[in-house]
Amino acid sequence: MRYLASFLIVLFFTQSITSQTYEVGLMLGGSNYVGDVGSTQYISPNAFAFGAIGKWNRSKRHAFRASFLFANLNADDAWGDERRTSRGLSFKNSVKEVSVGMEFNFWDWYLYDGKPQFTPYLYTGFTTLNYGAQAIDANNEIDSYADKWSFAIPMVLGIKKTVGRKFVLGAEIGARYTFTDNLDGSDPDPRVGTGFGNLNNNDWYFFTGITFSYTWGRTPCYCTF
């Protein structure tokens, strides 16, 4: 037991010395969906989205990142092309996602020399999401029938800058390519409805907004990965 306690103490201090900065904060902005209903514009936020974000800045150029996001989705064929307008479908849904992955900084991100920091960044990783499965009924209306889980690949481009010595303000645009084609009810379980649209393409949703986080940590030592 004594040796185990000694090992845990050494591990704790080793991680504290080699780590850079931790960040925790909020995400706030707009969301939109792209699929078989409504507009096909990729970046066109029309609903509210919010969440929380955390990062471990492991080096000047990369950070491990985790986030939770709640995004409302809503679409109407009236916002689409002439063919969709004449069809007249619409729907509302919501997505709750948890995402983990890695953020890559274009320029060095170092919060210990007292100078303002700024860099563009990319983020990708793995996302799991919960959504309301939907189906089109005999009256050409879309109804929810269950909550389901799926996966998505996040592709995010952003910029961030320091605000004073303890805060970071960022702005990002992020696409999520999902592994489902039923955020809109276009490809439901055959037992509850029939499909429509392009059943070979899965749905997308987007987050456009800002992040604001608090930072803390010890001055890093980059002697190990």
Side-chain angles (χ1 to χ4, degrees):
M1 181 64 68
R2 180 180 60 187
Y3 296 110
L4 177 60
S6 299
F7 172 76
L8 292 176
I9 292 172
V10 171
L11 180 62
F12 172 79
F13 282 107
T14 299
Q15 290 299 314
S16 297
I17 293 172
T18 59
S19 65
Q20 190 189 1
T21 308
Y22 301 97
E23 297 180 33
V24 62
L26 300 174
M27 307 170 68
L28 184 67
S31 54
N32 68 283
Y33 143 96
V34 175
D36 294 304
V37 177
S39 173
T40 55
Q41 294 185 19
Y42 282 94
I43 303 173
S44 181
N46 57 22
F48 184 64
F50 65 93
I53 189 169
K55 301 180 188 179
W56 175 22
N57 291 287
R58 194 60 185 88
S59 77
K60 296 179 182 179
R61 289 299 183 98
H62 81 283
F64 298 109
R65 164 173 161 168
S67 63
F68 167 81
L69 181 69
F70 177 88
N72 288 301
L73 304 178
N74 107 60
D76 193 313
D77 278 344
W79 308 335
D81 58 27
E82 183 178 349
R83 178 179 56 85
R84 292 192 177 188
T85 300
S86 63
R87 183 180 60 183
L89 291 177
S90 65
F91 80 93
K92 292 183 179 180
N93 207 340
S94 64
V95 168
K96 297 174 284 292
E97 70 162 42
V98 176
S99 184
V100 294
M102 187 173 290
E103 191 172 283
F104 302 88
N105 300 320
F106 282 67
W107 305 325
D108 284 353
W109 181 251
Y110 187 70
L111 303 177
Y112 295 94
D113 59 7
K115 298 179 180 178
Q117 302 292 307
F118 171 83
T119 184
Y121 63 86
L122 294 173
Y123 167 74
T124 190
F126 178 80
T127 295
T128 182
L129 61 107
N130 178 263
Y131 67 98
Q134 311 211 30
I136 187 169
D137 63 20
N139 297 318
N140 215 30
E141 296 181 352
I142 296 178
D143 297 317
S144 298
Y145 66 89
D147 281 349
K148 286 195 173 182
W149 290 89
S150 188
F151 303 101
I153 300 172
M155 293 165 276
V156 177
L157 173 65
I159 56 174
K160 58 186 177 180
K161 71 179 298 293
T162 53
V163 179
R165 298 183 61 88
K166 289 293 185 179
F167 297 95
V168 176
L169 178 65
E172 65 179 44
I173 298 171
R176 278 73 168 170
Y177 173 74
T178 74
F179 291 6
T180 178
D181 189 29
N182 200 40
L183 296 179
D184 53 14
S186 66
D187 190 15
D189 185 324
R191 294 171 295 180
V192 296
T194 58
F196 64 91
N198 187 346
L199 301 182
N200 295 316
N201 287 340
N202 290 340
D203 294 330
W204 296 71
Y205 64 95
F206 292 75
F207 170 76
T208 305
I210 61 172
T211 64
F212 188 72
S213 58
Y214 172 78
T215 74
W216 78 96
R218 296 190 178 191
T219 304
C221 169
Y222 298 124
C223 50
T224 61
F225 175 74

